[in-house]
């Protein structure tokens, strides 16, 4: 006969009441846990997902955005202490476009759209201020396009033009960037921001642009122009290229001998980046004139005749014309000139000659090489060679002759020069086999931490749900077992040997009492063989029924320990 729902409920209640207190608490906790998990899953499944519409906005813009969202009947939430506004995920982009059409948010900086709302009759000063604001906002928007930068502020200092050259000043700029969490700007990106701003402002030098992050760290300036030991970034890159090139040459020439992954090389190069220009002019000593080339030659020849003045004793004789020529009786004195002789002429001759020979000179203009190698220091580690004997591999060091050959190869590959002071150190040592230091285990990789957290949450919920289900399953099994009606015992199995009253639980306590003959609709079970435990239990019941005092004394001795 099938039980009614009321009888089934009463039977389950009766079975629950028969459980121990611990089992009752466990069953109640399991049922409550399962119900809580089901409620959480239903709420999570039915809840609409919200995404960030705007973050890190000013309070004024936040109020305007919320007011506009209320007018648009768009549901929203406020998170992160009011710094972020969330809307349903399927409406994020649509709402952003609608708010952008209305000029929200405004804290991101206005661009050249500020010039569209110019009023008639504004002064030149106001126009200049609005133009500078628009330029700053436009540059800030351009800088924010970089994925590492969350927000940027640009401040321009543009002096007024002056007609006096001495009083003219150059413009300058200051940039404040707020980086995203975990992001940094490398020197190349900082230089790109600096040159972007300097190219947008006339006469703005990159040295007049300052970039600072939200923590106050200077990202540009002298620290970026020069690096270690006064070298700029390009010189450091060239130094690393030289060192890496030598390392590759050494490893490539040794790999055929040592095998792959059995050689490590490091190079420390010292380069000379000084720029030297020298001009020298030298002259050779004078040689034979016959072997020299004539540059120029000049000759001068002058001759002149001048009459001599009158000579002799002045008087009448000097003025008397000469008479007839007659042979003198006495020879005239030297230097004496007979009267009537014409005046003699004085002749002068001058001859000059100038010869200029070509000078043998040499002019040298020497410009020193920039980035020349001054010194090289090379360190090479070679692994022991692997030998196979009797099917087993073992490591054996290289011999002295082999190491000498390897050292010579390293010197040739690096371009060893003793006069330059180069050093080479080649070591043969066994490599440590194991995990490289650069290999990070999976559980220590920062990129896998969020994945592990999410997986842990899912596994934790699954394990908790499984525990609750096992607790509920075990508790309900006991309740159902205790709620089942007692099965009638075989005839003659009672303590009185007849069909009298028997206990439903077979132990004489707490069970429901039923007629040994059973009900009319209950089908009798086939007789089964009595076990030894049941036989001893039946005998004990008979003794307790026949002599209760003896049974009480035996139990008392068990409790006091005298028996």
């Amino acid at each position: 006969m099938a039980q009614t729902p009321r009888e089934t409920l009463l039977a389950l209640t009766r079975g629950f009441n028969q459980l121990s207190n611990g089992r009752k608490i466990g069953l109640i906790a399991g049922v409550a846990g399962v119900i809580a998990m089901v409620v959480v899953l239903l709420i999570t499944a039915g809840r609409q997902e919200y995404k960030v519409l705007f973050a890190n906005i000013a309070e004024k813009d936040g109020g305007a955005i919320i007011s506009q969202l209320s007018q648009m009947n768009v549901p929203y939430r406020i998170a992160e202490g009011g710094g972020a506004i969330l809307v349903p995920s399927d409406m994020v982009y649509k709402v952003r476009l609608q708010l952008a059409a209305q000029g929200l948010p405004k804290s991101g900086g206005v661009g050249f759209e500020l010039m569209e709302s110019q009023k008639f009759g504004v002064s030149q000063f106001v126009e200049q201020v609005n133009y500078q604001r628009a330029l700053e906002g436009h540059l800030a928007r351009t800088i924010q396009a970089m994925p590492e930068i969350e927000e940027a502020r640009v401040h321009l200092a543009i002096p007024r033009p002056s007609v006096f050259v001495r009083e003219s000043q150059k413009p300058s700029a200051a940039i404040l960037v707020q980086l995203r969490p975990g992001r940094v700007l490398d020197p190349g990106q900082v230089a790109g921001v600096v040159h972007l701003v300097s190219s947008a402002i006339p006469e703005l030098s990159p040295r007049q642009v300052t970039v600072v992050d939200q923590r106050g760290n200077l990202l540009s300036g002298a620290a970026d122009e020069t690096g270690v030991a006064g070298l700029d970034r390009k010189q450091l890159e060239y130094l690393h290229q030289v060192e890496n090139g030598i390392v590759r040459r050494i490893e490539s020439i040794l790999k055929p001998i040592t095998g792959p992954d059995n050689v490590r090389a490091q190079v420390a190069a010292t380069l000379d980046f000084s720029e030297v220009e020298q001009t020298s002019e030298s002259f050779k000593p004078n040689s034979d004139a016959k072997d020299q080339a004539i540059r120029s030659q000049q000759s001068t020849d002058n001759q002149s005749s001048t009459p001599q003045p009158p000579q002799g004793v002045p008087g009448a004789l000097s003025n008397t014309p000469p008479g007839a020529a007659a042979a003198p009786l006495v020879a005239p004195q030297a230097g004496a000139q007979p009267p009537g002789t014409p005046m003699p002429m004085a002749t002068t001759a001058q001859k000059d000659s100038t010869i200029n020979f070509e000078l043998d000179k040499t002019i040298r203009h020497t410009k020193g090489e920039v980035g020349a190698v001054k010194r090289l220091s090379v360190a090479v580690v070679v692994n022991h060679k692997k030998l196979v004997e009797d099917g087993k591999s073992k490591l054996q060091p290289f011999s002295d002759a082999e190491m000498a050959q390897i050292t010579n190869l390293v010197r040739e590959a690096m371009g060893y020069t003793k006069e330059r002071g180069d050093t080479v150190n080649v070591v043969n040592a066994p490599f440590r086999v194991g995990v490289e230091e650069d290999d990070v285990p999976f559980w220590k990789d920062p990129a896998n931490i969020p994945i592990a957290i999410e997986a842990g949450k899912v596994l934790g919920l699954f394990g908790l749900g499984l525990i609750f289900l096992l607790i509920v399953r075990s508790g309900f099994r006991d309740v159902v077992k205790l709620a089942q009606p007692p099965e009638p015992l075989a005839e003659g199995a009672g303590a009185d040997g007849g069909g009298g009253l028997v206990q439903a639980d077979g132990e004489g306590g707490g069970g429901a009492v039923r007629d040994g003959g059973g009900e009319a609709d209950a089908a009798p079970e086939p007789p089964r063989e009595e076990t030894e435990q049941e036989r001893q239990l039946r005998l004990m019941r008979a003794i307790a029924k026949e002599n209760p005092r003896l049974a009480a004394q035996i139990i008392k001795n068990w409790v006091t320990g005298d028996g």
Side-chain angles (χ1 to χ4, degrees):
M1 180 178 180
Q3 293 182 347
T4 62
R6 184 173 182 277
E7 292 177 350
T8 303
L9 181 60
L10 291 175
L12 292 176
T13 304
R14 184 173 61 252
F16 179 77
N17 292 332
Q18 294 179 6
L19 293 175
S20 62
N21 293 333
R23 299 299 300 274
K24 290 179 181 179
I25 295 174
L27 180 59
I28 293 174
V31 173
V34 172
I35 294 175
M37 292 189 64
V38 171
V39 171
V40 170
L41 291 176
L42 291 177
I43 293 175
T44 305
R47 185 178 60 184
Q48 190 173 14
E49 184 181 2
Y50 279 72
K51 288 187 177 181
V52 177
L53 178 65
F54 295 109
N56 298 326
I57 58 177
E59 295 180 356
K60 183 178 180 180
D61 288 340
I65 291 174
I66 291 176
S67 176
Q68 191 65 31
L69 291 177
S70 300
Q71 295 180 6
M72 297 166 56
N73 295 326
V74 176
Y76 64 88
R77 293 180 181 177
I78 301 176
E80 298 181 5
I85 300 177
L86 293 80
V87 296
S89 58
D90 56 345
M91 303 177 64
V92 172
Y93 301 104
K94 179 180 178 181
V95 174
R96 283 182 183 175
L97 293 175
Q98 292 177 352
L99 294 177
Q102 300 178 9
L104 294 175
K106 298 181 179 179
S107 60
V110 294
F112 281 101
E113 64 271 10
L114 183 64
M115 309 299 294
E116 298 176 357
S117 59
Q118 291 288 336
K119 297 181 180 180
F120 181 76
V122 296
S123 62
Q124 184 179 1
F125 175 76
V126 176
E127 290 182 351
Q128 183 66 26
V129 170
N130 291 338
Y131 172 74
Q132 185 168 336
R133 287 182 55 197
L135 191 59
E136 291 175 351
H138 221 70
L139 289 174
R141 289 179 181 177
T142 306
I143 296 173
Q144 289 176 6
M146 299 179 65
E148 291 81 7
I149 298 177
E150 184 174 0
E151 187 177 356
R153 296 288 299 274
V154 179
H155 301 277
L156 299 177
I158 303 177
R160 298 183 63 181
S162 175
V163 295
F164 301 100
V165 178
R166 294 183 178 180
E167 296 181 0
S168 61
Q169 298 178 359
K170 299 296 182 181
S172 60
I175 305 171
L176 175 64
V177 294
Q178 183 176 356
L179 303 179
R180 299 185 185 275
R183 300 293 186 90
V184 294
L185 292 178
D186 56 24
Q189 291 175 317
V190 175
V193 173
V194 170
H195 287 276
L196 173 68
V197 176
S198 64
S199 301
I201 309 299
E203 298 183 0
L204 177 59
S205 173
R207 295 181 179 272
Q208 300 297 326
V209 180
T210 303
V211 182
V212 183
D213 63 3
Q214 69 271 22
R215 297 181 181 86
N217 299 323
L218 180 64
L219 303 181
S220 65
D224 291 337
E225 295 295 335
T226 58
V228 182
L231 303 181
D232 59 14
R233 183 169 53 87
K234 294 183 179 180
Q235 292 177 350
L236 290 176
E237 292 178 356
Y238 178 71
L239 176 62
H240 294 160
Q241 291 177 1
V242 172
E243 293 176 346
N244 295 334
I246 297 175
V247 169
R248 287 193 298 267
R249 291 202 300 266
I250 293 174
E251 292 181 351
S252 62
I253 200 172
L254 294 183
K255 279 182 180 179
I257 301 176
T258 61
D261 299 331
N262 287 324
V263 60
R264 298 288 186 273
Q266 290 294 330
V267 177
T270 303
L271 305 182
D272 185 10
F273 290 100
S274 59
E275 298 182 2
V276 179
E277 293 186 6
Q278 182 179 3
T279 302
S280 62
E281 184 176 357
S282 60
F283 297 89
K284 290 185 177 181
N286 295 330
S287 59
D288 191 2
K290 296 180 180 180
D291 299 332
Q292 292 182 342
I294 297 176
R295 182 178 185 180
S296 63
Q297 183 177 2
Q298 182 178 3
S299 299
T300 303
D301 191 1
N302 295 327
Q303 293 183 359
S304 61
S305 299
T306 304
Q308 292 185 355
Q311 297 180 359
V313 181
L317 294 177
S318 300
N319 295 328
T320 302
L329 296 178
V330 180
Q333 296 178 358
Q337 188 174 4
T341 303
M343 298 179 61
M345 303 293 293
T347 302
T348 303
Q350 182 180 0
K351 186 177 183 181
D352 296 332
S353 178
T354 303
I355 300 177
N356 294 324
F357 296 94
E358 290 288 350
L359 297 178
D360 191 358
K361 67 176 181 179
T362 303
I363 299 176
R364 290 187 178 89
H365 182 76
T366 306
K367 185 176 182 181
E369 181 183 2
V370 179
V373 178
K374 295 177 61 177
R375 187 173 181 272
L376 291 177
S377 299
V378 178
V380 181
V381 180
V382 180
N383 190 14
H384 286 178
K385 57 183 177 181
K386 184 180 295 185
L387 301 178
V388 179
E389 294 182 358
D390 300 333
K392 297 180 179 180
S393 62
K394 65 176 183 178
L395 297 178
Q396 182 179 350
F398 286 91
S399 62
D400 295 340
E402 292 174 336
M403 289 302 300
Q405 294 178 356
I406 293 176
T407 303
N408 293 333
L409 289 176
V410 172
R411 289 182 176 179
E412 294 296 332
M414 63 173 283
Y416 177 81
T417 303
K418 184 177 180 181
E419 292 76 10
R420 196 169 53 192
D422 296 347
T423 58
V424 179
N425 189 6
V426 182
V427 177
N428 182 211
F431 284 7
R432 180 182 177 183
V433 180
V435 180
E436 297 289 342
E437 295 182 357
D438 297 337
D439 296 339
V440 180
F442 175 80
W443 59 89
K444 292 184 179 180
D445 191 357
N448 298 327
I449 292 179
I451 301 176
I453 292 176
E454 296 297 330
K457 290 180 181 179
V458 175
L459 293 178
L461 291 176
F462 178 77
L464 188 61
L466 184 61
I467 293 174
F468 286 152
L469 289 176
L470 292 178
I471 293 175
V472 172
R473 179 174 176 270
S474 177
F476 270 108
R477 181 185 296 175
D478 294 342
V479 170
V480 172
K481 183 176 181 182
L482 295 175
Q484 291 179 356
E487 298 178 355
L489 297 176
E491 190 173 329
D496 55 353
L501 298 177
V502 295
Q503 303 293 336
D505 56 357
E507 296 180 359
V513 181
R514 296 186 59 187
D515 190 354
E519 298 181 359
D521 57 346
E525 291 185 356
R528 61 184 179 85
E529 185 178 357
E530 186 179 16
T531 62
E532 182 65 22
Q533 184 178 4
E534 293 177 349
R535 187 182 66 80
Q536 292 180 2
L537 185 61
R538 180 172 56 79
L539 293 177
M540 292 176 62
R541 287 176 179 172
I543 293 174
K545 185 176 182 181
E546 294 175 359
N547 195 353
R549 183 171 296 179
L550 178 60
Q553 186 65 30
I554 292 173
I555 294 174
K556 180 180 179 180
N557 292 337
W558 286 352
V559 173
T560 58
D562 296 335

